[in-house]
Amino acid sequence: MFRATLKSLLARKLRLVLSGLAVVLGVMFVSGAFVLTDTLGRSFDAVFSDAYAAIDVNVAAKPKVEVSETEGEPVAAPVPASVVDRVKAVPGATDVRGAVSADGARLIGSNGKVVTSFGPPQIGENWLGEDDLMTLREGRGPQADDEIAVNAALAEAAKVKVGDRVGVLTLSPKKEFTLVGVFGYSGGRDSIGGANEVAFTTPVAQRLMLGEPDVFTNVSARAADGTTPEALRDAVSRALGADYDVKTGDQLADDASASLKEALSFFNKILLGFAAVALLVGTFLILNTFSIIVAQRTRELALMRAIGASGRQVIGSVVLEAVAVGLVASVLGLAAGIGVGALLAYLFGKLAGGLTLAGLGVPPAAVIGAFAVGLLITVVAALLPALRAARIPPIAAMQDVATPDRPLTKVTVGGAVVTTIGAVLLFLGLSGNAGGNTLATILGGVLFAFIGVALLTPVISRPVVALLGALFAWSVPGKLGRLNSGRNPRRTAITAAALMVGIALVTGVTVILDSAKGSISALAEDRIKAELVISGSSTGPRPASFDPAVLTQAAAIPGVRLVDGEYGDMATVGGKRTWVAASSDVSALERIFGAKATAGDISRLAPDQMLLSSDTAKSRNLSVGSTVPVQLSRGDARTYTVSGIYESSQLTNPVVLPPQATVDFAIPQPIQGFVQLAPGTPVSAVQPQVERLLADSPEVSVADRAAFIKQQTSQLDTPLRMIQILLALAIVIAVLGIINTLALSVLERTRELGLLRAIGLRRAQTMRMITVEAVVISIFGALLGVVVGTGLGAAVVRALKDEGITDLVLPWGQMVTFLILAAIIGVVAAVLPAIRAARINVLGAIAHD
């Protein structure tokens, strides 16, 4: 039986290779995700190990507000200069130095634009001289207040050289400096982890990066001979008390690396999610392939039963084929995943500003995941056909090979039950009644919904396919193609379901994001009563900002009625982390954003007062007159009194503080500005004047309201494009499924095709018949995907109504595009099977058994 199985397997190499490709692509994503995160993780380990190699003990003040990786960069609390002397007094401490090192120093390049950095920080620091890690390559270190030095990577990116006058943006508006030095790092590196570094003199660094003199971000020390870093750490900790975090260099490296690895794990989960989609689609393909193969081998398997093979042996034969396909696919998928992981790591390193990658590694999780997933998916997909094969009676050996289609009652009932389960899970997840497992419940609902719809597809395939096929039934090949596409509803349904999954996901995501864009646009058009908006695109983790003086100057322009500058910061409000805002003109809350007071007065604020949105006030049980302690990124905690509450909306912040509070914000400059014009004042008369005021703020620009809204909503286009690209993999697998189904169908109908050719069907007509069959199946799958995706997307939009997505927007243009794309996919998928059908030898086909 084993030898017979191997011979049967080798006789169908092409068919099994096509189905195995689906597993290869899915396994590639799984193993590639693990290879990527392992390589990048070890790369960052090496980066931080080098960065902290010269530090035995580091002293830092605890941040006043904890900020997660997804919320931005935490602001380091200042360490008084007196701490340097206190650490020097600790026995065993040598080479004690106070350092300034904070994110937010943006160099303006020779082209007048800010050098961007999406990921690595843009560090402003004080010049501490050369050491074993860092050495000058050109010039010298800064000595005067108007001098700076930069690392070689930043000098190259900005196209600047020693002697140039350059602008730098920090906590303060643009300042001009002379570049006097360019430095690099051991091993010929131009940067550490792709970071851009600007070195000032110590007083300038303190003023520009920390906002106050005689403070540092941290104090470092080396351990004297005979003193271990751990012993020195404990001694320094005892001397300074609990107000400071005292860690060894190794601890700093581990903490920094762990923080980045947490962010990488999120990316890893995204890749694994797309791998799951690819494998789900691949399951349909493998199930269809083995179902057709078992149907074609009915007579062969019946003969085996007749000569003594048991049902268990027949099951083992089919499962063995699945294991062989799964093993080969897992090996190929692992190899492809290693290559993809290495490529993505290389691209990540380039985007991160030249991150030095560690050697490529293949973690055990990649290998285990590849074989576990590859084998499991293939065997599970082949299990139903295997059970069906075991039920073939020996008497079938004396019957015709053709197998009649079975009733669809059980499949329909099962599909209805599974679809209902999916609908219930989606309702629980989207309504917030999942008991803390919202994401898992929604994903489970989507999975059950897809499987349920796939099980119900055979019931609706005949009428829908007949209707679609009617479009092509104006010729004999078209009529034959329509009949062939509907002759086996199960096969057609499974083939179409593979395409349905990919297109449904793309359609659903598009509906959600387009609805979000439409809702934001409608709300902004209705509520924002400002003709001009000042805003910018971030060149790093911190938002772009501009000089507050621009607001005063813009207000003096003829025709300008009101100017408002918006500030923002992450703060601790009443013990909870909350985004807070401040307005240069508090009346803008009503006059520009259309906020309505629900209690108190929201038109003015005293220095010790605050405003709350109605949702925030309700969730925290606060009212007008309540006092709330607020800790901002800088300064000491202050207590504010609630003086007004306004109606919540997507355009208003949860907490509004007085403009005097902005001195303690992480960024004490406005990040947005709104300019309201007097009636009859043309935008074209004011906009150029505001643009001139922003000459020293290259990160920001001024646009009219329509352009601003378009700019804000266009940010949703990037994730949509990424999702569409990744989900294209599922569509590629679906194309393989159509090719495989048609190829097996052509082989199954060899005698039938020979007879058609014998009675006059020409080769070109044969090819058109196969093409019509493929196009009908593809359009059916796409139509199903569009309907299911629209339904799922609409359900999510309805669930997010309270989050501000109030308008359901259906992407009709993209839906039509998907259907046209499906027709093209059908034509492409039919090429090889159609050519094979056209080349069939007529006499040989008629004699085929």
Side-chain angles (χ1 to χ4, degrees):
M1 194 70 183
F2 179 75
R3 288 194 297 271
T5 299
L6 290 182
K7 288 183 179 179
S8 176
L9 181 65
L10 294 174
R12 293 182 298 277
K13 295 187 289 293
L14 179 60
R15 301 173 238 170
L16 296 175
V17 164
L18 286 174
S19 60
L21 277 176
V23 181
V24 169
L25 294 173
V27 170
M28 178 185 73
F29 258 128
V30 173
S31 55
F34 286 117
V35 169
L36 172 64
T37 51
D38 176 76
T39 301
L40 293 181
R42 289 183 294 104
S43 300
F44 284 118
D45 285 342
V47 166
F48 293 119
S49 179
D50 281 350
Y52 298 112
I55 297 175
D56 285 338
V57 171
N58 183 79
V59 178
K62 296 178 180 178
K64 295 181 182 295
V65 178
E66 296 290 340
V67 178
S68 69
E69 285 291 328
T70 58
E71 293 170 337
E73 291 291 319
V75 176
V79 178
S82 60
V83 172
V84 175
D85 294 330
R86 295 172 63 185
V87 175
K88 285 181 178 178
V90 175
T94 64
D95 192 22
V96 180
R97 300 190 292 181
V100 175
S101 180
D103 191 8
R106 292 95 70 203
L107 185 74
I108 300 174
S110 60
N111 60 357
K113 297 181 180 180
V114 174
V115 177
T116 58
S117 174
F118 297 100
Q122 298 172 295
I123 297 173
E125 59 195 11
N126 61 328
W127 175 257
L128 294 174
E130 299 177 89
D131 54 32
D132 293 339
L133 177 64
M134 186 272 291
T135 56
L136 282 165
R137 293 185 182 176
E138 298 179 53
R140 57 174 174 81
Q143 298 172 355
D145 287 352
D146 66 340
E147 295 178 345
I148 61 169
V150 301
N151 65 3
L154 180 54
E156 173 64 24
K159 305 299 181 188
V160 295
K161 60 184 183 300
V162 171
D164 288 350
R165 290 290 289 180
V166 296
V168 181
L169 304 175
T170 57
L171 294 180
S172 299
K174 176 184 172 183
K175 303 290 184 184
E176 292 282 344
F177 296 89
T178 300
L179 180 61
V180 297
V182 175
F183 55 90
Y185 303 89
S186 59
R189 292 170 293 176
D190 293 339
S191 70
I192 295 292
N196 294 332
E197 296 180 63
V198 180
F200 309 91
T201 60
T202 296
V204 173
Q206 291 170 333
R207 185 174 69 253
L208 296 184
M209 302 309 302
L210 302 181
E212 55 183 306
D214 298 324
V215 293
F216 299 101
T217 53
N218 62 286
V219 175
S220 63
R222 297 300 299 266
D225 293 340
T227 303
T228 64
E230 290 74 18
L232 180 59
R233 174 198 61 196
D234 296 340
V236 171
S237 183
R238 286 193 298 270
L240 298 181
D243 291 336
Y244 297 94
D245 283 329
V246 184
K247 297 181 179 180
T248 64
D250 290 342
Q251 286 178 307
L252 289 175
D254 291 342
D255 290 348
S257 182
S259 178
L260 275 172
K261 286 179 180 178
E262 182 180 351
L264 288 176
S265 68
F266 176 74
F267 185 61
N268 190 46
K269 291 175 183 177
I270 292 177
L271 291 178
L272 291 177
F274 285 106
V277 173
L279 291 168
L280 175 63
V281 177
T283 301
F284 289 117
L285 172 53
I286 297 167
L287 175 62
N288 212 19
T289 299
F290 277 91
S291 296
I292 296 173
I293 289 174
V294 167
Q296 291 176 353
R297 294 175 61 198
T298 298
R299 195 168 184 179
E300 173 190 333
L301 295 171
L303 283 172
M304 288 184 179
R305 293 295 308 279
I307 62 176
S310 65
R312 182 176 298 177
Q313 286 177 309
V314 172
I315 292 175
S317 172
V318 177
V319 170
L320 181 60
E321 290 187 20
V323 169
V325 172
L327 279 174
V328 174
S330 297
V331 172
L332 295 177
L334 176 60
I338 293 172
V340 169
L343 176 62
L344 290 176
Y346 171 78
L347 294 175
F348 186 95
K350 289 296 184 183
L351 291 174
L355 173 66
T356 302
L357 295 176
L360 183 67
V362 183
V367 179
I368 295 171
F371 284 95
V373 168
L375 284 173
L376 180 65
I377 292 297
T378 312
V379 171
V380 168
L383 198 55
L384 284 177
L387 294 173
R388 193 178 307 147
R391 290 195 290 266
I392 295 175
I395 194 67
M398 295 179 287
Q399 298 175 344
D400 192 10
V401 175
T403 304
D405 205 15
R406 302 186 309 282
L408 300 174
T409 306
K410 292 182 179 179
V411 175
T412 303
V413 173
V417 171
V418 175
T419 303
T420 302
I421 293 173
V424 171
L425 289 175
L426 283 171
F427 174 78
L428 292 175
L430 296 174
S431 62
N433 297 314
N437 298 308
T438 301
L439 181 59
T441 304
I442 292 176
L443 292 177
V446 171
L447 178 61
F448 274 93
F450 278 137
I451 295 175
V453 172
L455 291 174
L456 291 173
T457 303
V459 179
I460 61 174
S461 65
R462 271 195 176 131
V464 176
V465 165
L467 183 62
L468 293 173
L471 300 174
F472 305 94
W474 45 269
S475 65
V476 172
K479 292 178 182 178
L480 292 174
R482 176 177 65 85
L483 294 172
N484 287 334
S485 59
R487 69 196 297 180
N488 193 323
R490 293 174 185 269
R491 187 179 301 175
T492 299
I494 295 175
T495 306
L499 185 59
M500 177 266 292
V501 172
I503 290 183
L505 288 173
V506 173
T507 303
V509 171
T510 304
V511 168
I512 296 169
L513 294 183
D514 280 4
S515 297
K517 290 168 62 175
S519 300
I520 294 171
S521 297
L523 181 63
E525 286 284 355
D526 180 58
R527 291 292 187 91
I528 296 180
K529 305 302 181 184
E531 286 75 15
L532 293 173
V533 182
I534 302 171
S535 65
S537 55
S538 300
T539 59
R542 296 185 183 277
S545 59
F546 57 94
D547 190 343
V550 170
L551 301 173
T552 305
Q553 295 167 350
I557 297 175
V560 172
R561 182 163 65 177
L562 175 64
V563 175
D564 171 52
E566 291 289 315
Y567 302 73
D569 193 18
M570 185 62 68
T572 303
V573 180
K576 297 180 180 179
R577 287 189 305 113
T578 306
W579 178 260
V580 300
S583 298
S584 61
D585 188 334
V586 179
S587 68
L589 196 61
E590 292 178 293
R591 297 169 62 187
I592 289 182
F593 300 107
K596 298 178 180 179
T598 60
D601 184 4
I602 66 171
S603 64
R604 60 179 63 87
L605 270 181
D608 61 346
Q609 293 179 335
M610 67 189 302
L611 304 177
L612 299 178
S613 69
S614 55
D615 288 347
T616 304
K618 182 179 179 181
S619 65
R620 301 195 180 202
N621 196 27
L622 298 173
S623 60
V624 173
S626 298
T627 56
V628 186
V630 176
Q631 175 62 67
L632 296 168
S633 295
R634 307 178 194 276
D636 298 326
R638 292 191 58 182
T639 298
Y640 291 88
T641 301
V642 178
S643 63
I645 298 174
Y646 50 88
E647 185 179 4
S648 299
S649 81
Q650 296 302 305
L651 295 179
T652 55
N653 292 287
V655 178
V656 176
L657 297 178
Q660 293 85 349
T662 59
V663 295
D664 290 331
F665 277 29
I667 302 174
Q669 298 178 36
I671 56 179
Q672 281 186 334
F674 295 86
V675 181
Q676 188 180 78
L677 304 182
T681 303
V683 171
S684 58
V686 178
Q687 185 171 351
Q689 298 182 66
V690 178
E691 287 176 347
R692 287 193 290 272
L693 297 177
L694 296 170
D696 287 339
S697 301
E699 289 179 303
V700 299
S701 60
V702 61
D704 59 47
R705 182 175 56 189
F708 169 73
I709 294 172
K710 183 177 181 181
Q711 176 190 15
Q712 297 301 304
T713 57
S714 66
Q715 295 177 10
L716 295 175
D717 291 337
T718 299
L720 177 60
R721 296 290 177 265
M722 292 178 62
I723 291 171
Q724 289 175 336
I725 291 172
L726 290 172
L727 287 177
L729 173 66
I731 297 175
V732 170
I733 296 175
V735 174
L736 294 176
I738 298 171
I739 294 174
N740 209 21
T741 299
L742 291 176
L744 293 171
S745 181
V746 167
L747 182 62
E748 185 179 57
R749 305 198 313 254
T750 299
R751 188 174 184 180
E752 174 188 320
L753 291 170
L755 288 171
L756 288 172
R757 292 290 312 283
I759 61 175
L761 193 69
R762 297 188 299 275
R763 287 188 175 184
Q765 291 177 311
T766 303
M767 295 179 69
R768 287 204 301 274
M769 176 184 71
I770 300 297
T771 301
V772 167
E773 184 176 350
V775 169
V776 169
I777 293 174
S778 296
I779 294 179
F780 174 52
L783 186 61
L784 199 62
V786 167
V787 172
V788 171
T790 301
L792 291 174
V796 173
V797 169
R798 176 65 182 84
L800 294 176
K801 183 176 182 179
D802 293 338
E803 302 299 323
I805 303 181
T806 56
D807 297 345
L808 176 62
V809 178
L810 298 182
W812 296 108
Q814 292 203 36
M815 292 180 186
V816 173
T817 301
F818 291 152
L819 295 177
I820 295 173
L821 177 63
I824 296 173
I825 287 173
V827 173
V828 172
V831 171
L832 292 178
I835 292 174
R836 183 172 183 176
R839 290 179 176 175
I840 286 178
N841 181 281
V842 177
L843 294 178
I846 294 174
H848 181 76
D849 189 4

